[in-house]
Amino acid sequence: MLYSDTEDDLRAAVRSLLTDRADLPATLARAESGDPYDPALWTSLTAGIGAAGLLVPEKLGGQGASHREAAVVLEELGRAVTPAPYLTSAVVATETLLGCDGESTESTDVAGLLTALASGHRTAVLALPLTTAPDAPLPFTGTDPEGAATTVRAVAEAVRADVLLVPRADGLYAVETAAPGVTVEPLTPLDLTRPLATVTVAAGSGVRIADAATGESAVRRGLLAGAGLLASEQLGLAEWCLEETVRYTRERHQFNRPVGSFQALKHRMAQLWLEVVSARAAARNAADALATGDPGAPLAVAVAQAYCGRVAVHAAEECVQLHGGIGMTWEHPAHLYLKRAKSDESALGSPGRHRERLADLADLPGPG
């Protein structure tokens, strides 16, 4: 599970791009403006580096890589708390479309959309709440009322999506956000770098790309991949918080010595280092299990999400607290990391939900 040379090269390219085009002051300024996205950055990340097509087969215009490479990209996006629809479009939506027989050239609608997503020319999101866990109940049972619209709250990054993947009782639909009867109403999120919205889709809108059974399987595939690779974003976030805290406590002096030399702070940062190292092992295991198609992937994902979410929050909290007064200010980026960590902790299933799932998969039920 060590990083390969290819993954190290990919990391270097993404980090260099984010350093040049998405430094923290610029990210904070965009978040305050209400529109955190930088279209030029997304173009460079997707068309330039080819990151959006890592999970898409080469015959459909993608890179034909694996979840391991996508995990590296998410680590770097987490380190820079970058506002970009990578997790929602290049991972969750892409994996969902691949589950709809997306690798078959006979599936024209799906194949064409995958090619557009791989190039970065279009983005798509799954029209489910951000908190939806891979094993959560999905709207593929029952019958849609005649003429009833579909309304979904807290859909992440729908405000900039070109296509919505909408689960309905009779299957999965691809709906253009610009189509009549589709409204996307922005909400006020905790994490200013990952916008949320309420999505309403009129009945009959869109093209059905999978029947109910295939659609449910595809959506669960997308949610599982998203949850597994979200752990890598959380890992990158925690790593930055730890490194920034160590750097600051080396430079900040009190009583004529660095505050980081005090034993109490040493112990706190040493404990956090142990947690980050363990989070890396869990996140890499989940990415590798998804990449190899391991039957134990749901177990690996549950372990990663049960652990990494809390580590990211702890790292962000320590970053704020150990920076002292400056860490409490709006000008310092620590609050962006804390808000992203708290948002990620509930995304795609809470740690408690994943612990319950882990207990079921390992046949180790907890107390009633």
Side-chain angles (χ1 to χ4, degrees), residues 46-66 118-119:
T46 56
I49 296 179
L54 288 174
L55 300 180
V56 179
E58 292 184 66
K59 66 182 179 182
L60 296 179
Q63 309 303 319
S66 74
S119 68

Side-chain angles (χ1 to χ4, degrees), residues 336-348:
L336 290 179
Y337 287 84
L338 180 56
K339 292 170 183 175
R340 171 66 72 88
K342 289 297 291 183
S343 174
D344 281 357
E345 189 180 31
S346 61
L348 300 169

Side-chain angles (χ1 to χ4, degrees), residues 78-340:
R79 283 181 63 92
V81 71
T82 305
Y86 191 83
L87 178 69
T88 52
S89 181
V91 176
V92 177
T94 296
E95 277 286 305
T96 300
L97 290 169
L98 288 171
C100 298
D101 198 25
E103 298 187 47
S104 171
T105 54
E106 298 175 2
S107 182
T108 307
D109 294 321
V110 176
L113 182 52
L114 277 169
T115 300
L117 295 185
S119 68
H121 293 151
R122 312 200 80 196
T123 59
V125 298
L126 186 60
L128 288 174
L130 178 60
T131 55
T132 306
D135 63 330
L138 299 175
F140 284 104
T141 58
T143 304
D144 289 325
E146 187 69 25
T150 301
T151 299
V152 187
R153 287 182 57 83
V155 179
E157 297 174 322
V159 292
R160 277 299 184 91
D162 300 300
V163 178
L164 300 170
L165 304 182
V166 183
R168 291 176 174 147
D170 61 335
L172 184 66
Y173 286 75
V175 182
E176 298 283 338
T177 54
V182 178
T183 60
V184 179
E185 182 181 352
L187 300 173
T188 302
L190 169 66
D191 176 12
L192 299 178
T193 64
R194 180 165 281 157
L196 302 177
T198 296
V199 173
T200 301
V201 181
S205 298
V207 176
R208 194 171 83 152
I209 56 176
D211 58 31
T214 303
E216 180 173 4
S217 175
V219 169
R220 294 203 183 280
R221 171 176 170 170
L223 293 174
L224 183 68
L229 297 190
L230 175 63
S232 293
E233 179 180 295
Q234 293 164 327
L235 168 62
L237 187 155
E239 286 181 331
W240 183 91
C241 290
L242 174 60
E243 291 172 11
E244 174 63 18
T245 302
V246 171
R247 182 201 64 77
Y248 178 78
T249 54
R250 280 176 173 166
E251 296 178 356
R252 178 75 167 88
H253 281 65
Q254 195 171 56
F255 305 114
N256 204 32
R257 58 187 289 192
V259 296
S261 66
F262 293 110
Q263 189 175 47
L265 299 193
K266 283 183 178 180
H267 286 177
R268 289 172 68 170
M269 287 183 282
Q271 176 60 38
L272 186 55
W273 181 84
L274 290 172
E275 293 178 6
V276 170
V277 170
S278 299
R280 183 182 298 114
R284 292 296 293 169
N285 181 52
D288 186 71
L290 290 167
T292 58
D294 190 332
L299 181 66
V301 170
V303 170
Q305 273 305 304
Y307 187 75
C308 294
R310 184 55 202 155
V311 170
V313 172
H314 184 212
E317 289 173 341
E318 292 288 77
C319 183
V320 170
Q321 292 176 13
L322 297 185
H323 272 74
I326 189 65
M328 302 291 179
T329 64
W330 190 262
E331 289 75 15
H332 195 279
H335 68 92
L336 290 179
Y337 287 84
L338 180 56
K339 292 170 183 175
R340 171 66 72 88

